[in-house]
Amino acid sequence: MFDPPEYVDWKPDSGVIDEFENTLKSDPDRAGIIASLTEKQLLGMYTGLLRFRLHDITLRRWVKRGVLAKAWLGTGEEAVTIGNVHALDRTIDKVGPMIRNAGACHEMGISLADMLREYLATADSPSKGRDLHVGSMSNGVIAPASQVGALIPVFAGIALAMKQRGEKAVALTWNGDGATKTTAFHEGMNLAAVLHVPAIYVLQNNQIALGTKLEQNQRGPFTAWAKAYGVTALACAGNNVLDTYAATRLAADLARSGRGPVIIFAETFRMGGHATHDEREAREIFPASVFEYWGKRDPIGMYECHLERRGIGKSTLEELEQSVIDEIVCAENDALKSREADMPNAAALTLDVYDAQDAAPAERSSKPKQPKADSTRKMPSR
C-alpha cells in the first residue's frame, strides 16, 4: 500500500526486460565488468536495492501514521545510488549523498537504525538530534546540505586533498538536474576540472526539479555539461543497476589514474513527489503515460528478472528479501525506542560544535591585545 501504484502487482514487460539485457551488452568494456561480477556481488546489490526501498517505505508509513510530518524519498531511483556505491572501494572512497540518495548511507556502513533515528531527531542519532541529514566520517559519508548543489565544490576540495596526499581514493557526489543551474554547481565543477581532481559527479536526471520539468529549466541537451567544463563524461541507464555499476567502475578507474574529474549522466525518474507532502501534485505535472513508462522499469523488478536469467533461484531472492525485511523491522523498533527514551536535551545543543572562542585559550591569552581603531581618524583626501 506504500508503493507507487505502478509497482503494485508489477509484472515484467518482455520488451523492457530485453531492453535491460541489451543495455548490458552494448559496450564491450562494461559487458566485461558485468560478466566478472561474482554471485556475492550481484546479490549484494540486490539487498542494497531492497534495503533502500524498504527504508523509504518505512518513512512513508511513518508519515501516514503521523510519526513524521514528511519525508524525502528515492523511490524509483534506487539503482543510481546502489550501482554507484557498490562500484567504489568503500574502504577508502568518500561519498556525499543528496537526501534522495539515502541508500548510499546504509551501503557505506551507517546502520539503518541510526538513519531512522536521524529522522526522529533522537539524542542518540548521529547528529544528536540536530539535523535529519545523516553522515559519518568514519564510514566515508559526508552529510548532505539542504542547499542542493552545495556539495559540488566541497567534493572538489575533498578530491583535491586526496590528490595532494597521493591517495588512490576518489570522491563521489550526486547532483540533480535542477541543481545544475546553481552557482555552487558551476563554481565547483569548474574548480574540479581545472585542478584535475579525482572526483566523480553523478548528475541524476530524474526529469523534474521540485515541480519544474527538465524542458522548462534547460534548453540544450543535459549531457552538454561535460563539454562545457572539458571533462570526461559517461552516461548510464539509471534504472539499470548493472549499467550504473559498470559506468561507475570505469569512472573510478579514470579518476584514480589522474584523468578526473568524471561526470556520470544517469537517466531515471522520480516516482513520487519532491517529498511526501506533494505526491498528488507531482502526478498532475506529468501525464499518466510517463508514470506508466517508468513504472514498467522498476529497478528492483528488472534486476530480479536478470538474476533469475543468470541462474539465481527465486527462493534465494525471497530468502534475501525476508532477511532485509527483518533487518528493517529491527531497525525501526530500535529507532522508535530511542524516540521514547532518548530525545535531545536543549542544554546539549552547543556540544560538539566548533567554537573559535574555545579553540586555544592558552594561545589566545598569550597574544597581546591589539589597540582599537581610532574611529575619529580622518581618511586621506583624494
Side-chain angles (χ1 to χ4, degrees), residues 349-361 364:
L349 183 65
T350 58
L351 296 178
D352 300 323
V353 178
Y354 178 76
D355 186 347
Q357 295 298 314
D358 299 329
R364 190 172 64 248

Side-chain angles (χ1 to χ4, degrees), residues 293-308:
Y293 173 89
W294 287 100
K296 292 178 180 178
R297 290 159 176 78
D298 172 15
I300 297 177
M302 292 193 298
Y303 190 46
E304 285 177 344
C305 291
H306 173 80
L307 293 175
E308 289 179 27

Side-chain angles (χ1 to χ4, degrees), residues 163-226:
K163 179 180 178 179
Q164 291 176 336
R165 293 170 182 163
E167 299 172 358
K168 285 299 181 183
V170 300
L172 182 150
T173 189
W174 293 264
N175 201 75
D177 48 288
T180 58
K181 315 308 182 298
T182 64
T183 301
F185 172 79
H186 291 291
E187 291 178 347
M189 278 304 312
N190 188 64
L191 180 66
V194 170
L195 297 178
H196 300 289
V197 299
I200 301 172
Y201 293 106
V202 182
L203 303 193
Q204 188 167 332
N205 180 16
N206 66 5
Q207 316 302 320
I208 188 165
L210 207 155
T212 305
K213 292 189 287 187
L214 179 64
E215 61 264 29
Q216 295 174 315
N217 69 65
Q218 180 161 325
R219 182 169 180 176
F222 191 65
T223 53
W225 294 115

Side-chain angles (χ1 to χ4, degrees), residues 120-345:
L120 296 174
T122 63
D124 57 347
S125 67
S127 73
K128 298 179 175 60
R130 295 185 182 90
D131 192 353
L132 64 83
H133 298 103
V134 63
S136 167
M137 291 296 288
S138 62
N139 294 107
V141 181
I142 286 74
S146 293
Q147 300 89 343
V148 290
L151 286 186
I152 300 297
V154 171
F155 267 68
I158 291 171
L160 177 60
M162 292 171 170
K163 179 180 178 179
Q164 291 176 336
R165 293 170 182 163
E167 299 172 358
K168 285 299 181 183
V170 300
L172 182 150
T173 189
W174 293 264
N175 201 75
D177 48 288
T180 58
K181 315 308 182 298
T182 64
T183 301
F185 172 79
H186 291 291
E187 291 178 347
M189 278 304 312
N190 188 64
L191 180 66
V194 170
L195 297 178
H196 300 289
V197 299
I200 301 172
Y201 293 106
V202 182
L203 303 193
Q204 188 167 332
N205 180 16
N206 66 5
Q207 316 302 320
I208 188 165
L210 207 155
T212 305
K213 292 189 287 187
L214 179 64
E215 61 264 29
Q216 295 174 315
N217 69 65
Q218 180 161 325
R219 182 169 180 176
F222 191 65
T223 53
W225 294 115
K227 182 179 285 187
Y229 299 108
V231 300
T232 302
L234 301 171
C236 66
N239 283 30
N240 186 324
V241 68
L242 293 176
D243 192 42
T244 304
Y245 174 93
T248 311
R249 275 282 306 276
L250 293 172
D253 289 345
L254 288 169
R256 291 188 214 282
S257 64
R259 290 183 283 172
V262 180
I263 289 177
I264 297 176
F265 295 104
E267 288 290 314
T268 185
F269 185 69
R270 191 185 76 193
M271 290 295 293
H274 174 69
T276 52
H277 69 280
D278 66 343
E279 292 185 339
R280 181 179 60 82
E281 291 87 341
R283 286 184 172 268
E284 294 172 352
I285 294 171
F286 291 102
S289 59
V290 174
F291 281 90
E292 181 183 353
Y293 173 89
W294 287 100
K296 292 178 180 178
R297 290 159 176 78
D298 172 15
I300 297 177
M302 292 193 298
Y303 190 46
E304 285 177 344
C305 291
H306 173 80
L307 293 175
E308 289 179 27
R309 284 191 179 191
R310 206 150 170 162
I312 296 174
K314 195 173 186 67
S315 61
T316 298
L317 301 182
E318 289 173 348
E319 288 173 9
L320 287 172
E321 181 176 0
Q322 187 57 54
S323 71
V324 176
I325 290 172
D326 294 342
E327 182 185 349
I328 291 283
V329 170
C330 182
E332 180 182 6
N333 290 337
D334 287 347
L336 290 173
K337 287 177 184 175
S338 291
R339 181 174 182 248
E340 296 300 322
D342 204 7
M343 294 307 288
N345 186 325

